[in-house]
Amino acid sequence: MSLDAPARQSFDLRWDRYAPQIAVCLARLFPDRAYEVTERLYAILESAIEQRSAELRRLDEERLLLPDWLQQPDMVGYVCYANRFAGDLQGVKNHVDYLHGLGVRYLHIMPFLKPRPGANDGGYAVADYRMIRPELGTMDDLEELTAELRANDISLVMDLVINHVAREHEWAARARAGETRYRDYFLMYPDRSVPDAYERTLPEIFPDFAPGNFTWDDEAGAWVWTTFNDYQWDLNWANPDVLCEFVDLMCWLANKGVEVFRLDAIAFIWKRMGTNCQNQPEVHDLTQIMRACMRIAAPAVAFKAEAIVSPEDLMAYLGTGEHYGLVSDMAYHNELMVQLWNCMATADAKMAEVALANMPVKPPSTTWATYVRGHDDIGWAISDADAAAVGVDGYEHRRFLSDFYSGQYKTSFARGLVFQDNPLTGDRRISGSAASLAGLEKALDEGDEHGVDMAIARILLMYTLICGYGGVPVIYMGDELGLLNDMDYARDPAHADDNRWAHRPFMDWDLVERVRNGEDLPATRLDRAIRHALQVRATVPQLHASVASEVVPSPDPRILILKREHPLGPLIELYNMSEQRVDLHHSVLTQHLGYTARELIGGYDYDLRPATIGIWPYQAAWFIAS
Ligand code: GLC
């Protein structure tokens, strides 16, 4: 396909705009090969734009005119497994109306590229990046699905697994066969000396089922770097050929209609002896090059960093220093998620207040993915400093949270499962669905009506908070219906030793139907209230992600107070983390809003002249001046 003159001009302008960034980063990363790599990247991008459909090029122009598209208050995310949600990609296409009805604008379908056979870490061991998992359909199905999604204003988000490929991937096979070019795509060592030197400072990600970070491979005759499972071979990003491969792949997938790449395990891609081999500065140079390339060849595309790292390290993924605003557009707010569950277990918001107040400020052009649950386990990433600030021992508190959410703690309402108990570090992560962790499973089993009410209230509180924090609230499939742990997961031998499958259930379409019919069920209450929160959110300009949420010190430890300053006036959000009604002095609101306010979730006007204002158990309230 040849480009018409305006399309050519637009491409050339974008190249001129971003090529200097690419040059600076390449010169730092690969000084000897910078020129050659620039030429290769140019060829890849030029061929990609030529192949890009007129419709997608139009979307590019739209996005160039609306660079804050991901930051809008009506952006709502949803994440699901295609097969568990609707059988296959065609099935997802047939259920787009459900997503559209919920208000979804951003759909993350869990790994759908062809994985290795057998165990594949939920699809994160990709054997072929240019093929769809055969049970899910074909590349044509993907293109049809993305077209249908676009017609419904929904962007497709996909996992781009960049840290590793499956042992069965062609590159790995050719490396095993002895091709030097492909051996250089991986990190292979003839004996233990180098691996041992690295191991001294490397943590273990899956100590239970994949101890250590290197795997001996007989065929390769080498120790292969495998951070995750032994069948996931880490790529050598210090080799610019790997960068060129991934830019080419991204262009190709973007031309199939993918709009957001979730950069999987991005923190791990650059290795450095003597460190934990995470968050190395080169990661950000690489991301900046890839993002610049996408801005040139497919500007409709955005990046989401999957960096589940400490807040100090996290901000670099959204851009600090010279990368400010030039790397990923979005990142997971893991801290918020962990603090939400911490608040639910303790009925106390003080630690969340400290932790959120200590978060560095993100670049205003970026956004968060805010979430209650995802497909992974929850690691209790509570820092010793944040714990100490509220007079608690960090180690003990993390143990308490594991005990609480695995149901071992005496007053626990949760039904979670321990994932990867590491006695050496004390790290004990937790699996379980939002509803089971929030107490719905236990309360239903025990026929405890009050318990059911409280569990629903907790889920809604957390979901309303992720709607109000600023960022894209991402609904984890089934949470809108309160789906419980799926303990049948262990029947599948490929999943039996990985209890994260307990919280990756199948969609319950019968339940959806019953909810639609208005049956009196927990699911109906959750579904209605979550839809309502999303609808309200879409109308609140203060929730644009360029505005930062500030934590306001609360006079009562049970209440978390957030403030979002905006030219239209501030939004003050109150969240009661406890089962008690809390009366607050009216100054918490009047100092910001004056004496008349509107509460947006309930839709009531408040006269704030009386001295106290009452906040109901687990109430979430968003106030503006009226
Ligand atoms: C990411 C995924 C996780 C997977 C890992 C390795 O952290 O979320 O599910 O196990 O990457 O690819």
Side-chain angles (χ1 to χ4, degrees), residues 406-461:
S406 58
Q408 289 161 31
Y409 193 76
K410 51 186 185 310
T411 58
S412 174
F413 47 70
R415 287 267 178 92
L417 305 156
V418 171
F419 178 76
Q420 308 286 317
D421 187 356
N422 189 339
L424 280 181
T425 58
D427 185 25
R428 266 191 312 156
R429 283 124 74 181
I430 290 289
S431 291
S433 77
S436 290
L437 295 180
L440 190 58
E441 185 173 336
K442 183 166 188 275
L444 287 171
D445 276 357
E446 293 173 359
D448 169 6
E449 267 179 48
H450 176 71
V452 169
D453 290 347
M454 291 298 103
I456 291 176
R458 286 182 202 110
I459 300 168
L460 291 178
L461 175 68

Side-chain angles (χ1 to χ4, degrees), residues 102-371:
L102 253 182
V104 171
R105 301 281 314 281
Y106 157 118
L107 175 66
H108 173 194
I109 303 186
M110 296 295 293
F112 52 74
L113 297 179
K114 188 176 169 211
R116 74 191 289 273
N120 56 42
D121 189 23
Y124 287 101
V126 180
D128 189 341
Y129 287 78
R130 294 182 199 257
M131 265 188 78
I132 299 291
R133 194 181 183 122
E135 317 85 271
L136 297 181
T138 62
M139 273 294 162
D140 288 343
D141 294 328
L142 180 72
E143 280 191 83
E144 276 181 32
L145 172 62
T146 56
E148 178 71 15
L149 290 170
R150 273 196 306 281
N152 284 276
D153 261 334
I154 302 177
S155 300
L156 182 75
V157 185
M158 78 167 274
D159 290 272
L160 193 72
V161 185
I162 57 173
N163 179 65
H164 42 261
V165 297
R167 184 180 181 274
E168 289 69 17
H169 189 283
E170 190 198 338
W171 301 338
R174 296 178 75 167
R176 280 196 299 281
E179 283 187 49
T180 321
R181 177 187 159 100
Y182 290 100
R183 278 186 97 89
D184 287 347
Y185 277 37
F186 299 95
L187 297 142
M188 297 181 155
Y189 308 95
D191 57 49
R192 281 294 311 183
S193 54
V194 178
D196 284 343
Y198 275 113
E199 282 289 12
R200 278 196 269 283
T201 51
L202 283 176
E204 286 180 313
I205 306 301
F206 295 143
D208 280 4
F209 43 64
N213 288 276
F214 299 85
T215 304
W216 174 258
D217 192 279
D218 269 338
E219 259 181 78
W223 288 95
V224 181
W225 198 310
T226 56
T227 301
F228 293 87
N229 291 289
D230 53 13
Y231 52 76
Q232 288 163 305
W233 284 25
D234 284 42
L235 287 159
N236 175 20
W237 279 85
N239 175 359
D241 293 347
V242 171
L243 169 69
C244 292
E245 293 277 12
F246 272 95
V247 169
D248 191 37
L249 276 173
M250 278 189 198
C251 289
W252 192 80
L253 290 160
N255 283 352
K256 305 281 173 211
V258 173
E259 295 182 35
V260 181
F261 288 108
R262 171 190 180 276
L263 303 174
D264 182 63
I266 185 174
F268 297 83
I269 65 175
W270 194 274
K271 325 293 185 193
R272 173 166 282 113
M273 185 69 80
T275 71
N276 64 358
C277 297
Q278 292 179 39
N279 312 311
Q280 298 302 309
E282 289 82 354
V283 172
H284 310 301
D285 275 335
L286 287 165
T287 317
Q288 187 171 335
I289 296 170
M290 293 191 278
R291 180 181 186 267
C293 288
M294 284 299 103
R295 286 290 192 269
I296 296 166
V301 164
F303 282 177
K304 168 158 73 157
E306 193 249 341
I308 308 302
V309 299
S310 72
E312 306 84 71
D313 291 322
L314 177 60
M315 227 44 85
Y317 292 86
L318 294 174
T320 48
E322 57 189 307
H323 300 297
Y324 190 80
L326 300 178
V327 278
S328 289
D329 306 276
M330 187 179 192
Y332 285 95
H333 204 319
N334 186 60
E335 180 77 44
L336 181 66
M337 183 274 291
V338 168
Q339 291 297 341
L340 283 177
W341 290 105
N342 182 29
C343 289
M344 293 297 96
T346 58
D348 190 306
K350 277 295 159 198
M351 204 187 291
E353 193 176 290
V354 171
L356 294 172
N358 283 343
M359 289 280 294
V361 178
K362 70 165 181 60
S365 60
T366 62
T367 189
W368 295 115
T370 56
Y371 61 114

